[in-house]
Amino acid sequence: MKVICLLVMIGFFLLVNAFSSVAQEDNDMKGMIEIIKLFRALDDEMSSPNYLEPLLISDTILSNTRGTNFEETALTIISNLYSWVGEYQKSLELYSKTFEVAALTDNQPIDLNGFIAVDAVQEIIELAGQYDVIFINDVGHRPEKSVFVTMLLEDLMNQGYTKIVFDEIDSTKGMINLSKIPTENLSLKALAPNYANLVRTSLSLGYEIVLYPYISITNYRNRDSIFALEIFDQQNIDMAKMIVFYNKDIINASEKTLAYWLELLTGKAVLNIDQIKYSEEHDQIFESPFYQKAVELNKSKLPFILKNKDDYFQDDTNEGFDFYVFHPRTSYTSGRASWETDYVLGNKKYLINLPKEIYQNIPEGALIQVFYKQEFDSGIPIDQILYKGYEDTNKPIVVPEGRFILRVEGMERSNLLQFEFTYDLENGLAILK
């Protein structure tokens, strides 16, 4: 079944439950209609990625769902979309509105005495040789989590890791292990440039993407154990080292963790890493006090782990993680997030300003997309920005060195502008045609 169909089914399941609890009030009816329109718009994107319709109607959707049981769903989806077009600050701002409490607190004293911040990539690589499977989680509106895992891939390959599982990505889609290119029909999540780049880098290094098991809604309560069993049965993972990159929402709080079940089934050592819990928020009032204390200890721009002479930092929630990865606070240059160029190993990326004349014939509400030249026909953009008007003419694109095609799309997927360009450090940006 197509991934988008599963998303719609789950979305509809949640909608029906929510709708039945409010006696079909008019405002919730209006909210449900807006969410259905949003799902339909996203369904259309699977055939040709253009996020303009969902983004340009986002204010209407948010207005019509405000105060209804569908407000959180709308905020979550739209915050994801903004993170796909380089609007990370806007994404965090929208997602912060999903919180139902005035502030987050921890029911334990904040004592980090004796802990130091150590480089997360280096620490994970040093540990990786002791394990056969690495679990690390993800969340849709935080693309820096995908970028962080991309940083690990080459060194993990050198440690013997050869397979990787992405939730929502079926290895049979487009024969991806043969084509080596993440294509637009791969999955909804893979339409996000940073997530697609993680897939792209995995393939280029020689990882095999393994089958992601379909879990029916009727079995969703036991999805963690079913997920682990399906991977074990289908892939015979005791013959290979594997990375599992999964959405945090597939974890069921009432069940043991995925890592627990896979370790039980295989008898192999599993390293279970969380990089979601201790993260920055749009407003610090929503942040964990542990996160706020931790970032004070970190002196680098890179993700880190807290460690003392005996062990890694743990809290008292007993969630089954071996340790937590903390991400530094994001700073911004011309609206682009610092981690887009800071979180790199090898394939360095750069902020590039486009010539001002490009914007002369572009209407407000256009999507500027950058593709690798060899992937242009069916690939996913490596970067894209939403052009909303004059204030965005200084917003840079983020690219490595290489040859690319830039395309500007309007509503109804009209091709407004297209040209080829190269970028290298010595000569800068050169438009070829």
Side-chain angles (χ1 to χ4, degrees), residues 185-355:
N185 66 347
L186 190 60
S187 82
L188 188 62
K189 279 184 72 172
L191 296 180
N194 284 302
Y195 196 93
N197 189 56
L198 170 59
V199 177
R200 181 183 290 113
T201 304
S202 302
L203 292 164
S204 68
L205 290 171
Y207 281 92
E208 177 190 351
I209 295 179
V210 303
L211 182 64
Y212 176 80
Y214 165 69
I215 308 296
S216 80
I217 288 176
T218 57
N219 289 324
Y220 216 55
R221 180 172 297 177
N222 300 316
R223 60 191 179 273
D224 301 340
S225 52
I226 295 173
F227 181 98
L229 183 61
E230 289 291 325
I231 293 176
F232 175 67
D233 284 347
Q234 294 177 26
Q235 302 304 327
N236 192 20
I237 68 161
D238 58 333
M239 301 298 292
K241 290 196 169 191
M242 175 182 287
I243 304 163
V244 181
F245 187 52
Y246 63 95
N247 193 299
K248 73 177 184 66
D249 291 331
I250 68 173
I251 289 293
N252 187 345
S254 65
E255 247 205 318
K256 299 285 189 180
T257 65
L258 285 169
Y260 167 87
W261 289 110
L262 202 58
E263 197 166 61
L264 182 68
L265 288 165
T266 64
K268 300 294 184 180
V270 175
L271 181 62
N272 197 20
I273 303 169
D274 173 83
Q275 62 164 342
I276 305 302
K277 182 174 183 178
Y278 295 113
S279 296
E280 69 175 331
E281 301 296 345
H282 171 67
D283 191 325
Q284 292 188 26
I285 194 173
F286 298 122
E287 291 176 350
S288 163
F290 277 106
Y291 176 78
Q292 295 176 355
K293 281 288 186 180
V295 293
E296 294 175 5
L297 298 177
N298 181 49
K299 305 304 179 186
S300 85
K301 297 179 180 180
L302 299 177
F304 62 96
I305 297 167
L306 293 182
K307 185 179 183 181
N308 61 20
K309 61 183 179 65
D310 299 316
D311 204 353
Y312 300 105
F313 164 78
Q314 288 283 351
D315 60 27
D316 63 0
T317 55
N318 192 28
E319 293 172 312
F321 296 109
D322 293 291
F323 52 75
Y324 298 90
V325 171
F326 296 77
H327 290 254
R329 293 195 190 281
T330 302
S331 58
Y332 297 89
T333 302
S334 300
R336 300 309 300 259
S338 54
W339 45 261
E340 296 191 87
T341 53
D342 291 343
Y343 285 22
V344 290
L345 287 178
N347 193 21
K348 178 73 175 172
K349 291 186 177 181
Y350 306 90
L351 298 176
I352 308 300
N353 288 103
L354 296 171

Side-chain angles (χ1 to χ4, degrees), residues 381-401:
I382 65 167
D383 191 38
Q384 57 190 2
I385 56 177
L386 182 65
Y387 175 67
K388 301 185 295 296
Y390 178 78
E391 71 276 9
D392 288 330
T393 57
N394 293 319
K395 186 180 292 182
I397 57 174
V398 181
V399 295
E401 293 187 283

Side-chain angles (χ1 to χ4, degrees), residues 48-64:
S48 180
N50 181 325
Y51 319 103
L52 285 176
E53 182 182 351
L55 285 169
L56 295 179
I57 66 173
S58 63
D59 287 345
T60 300
I61 292 172
L62 293 175
S63 175
N64 289 338

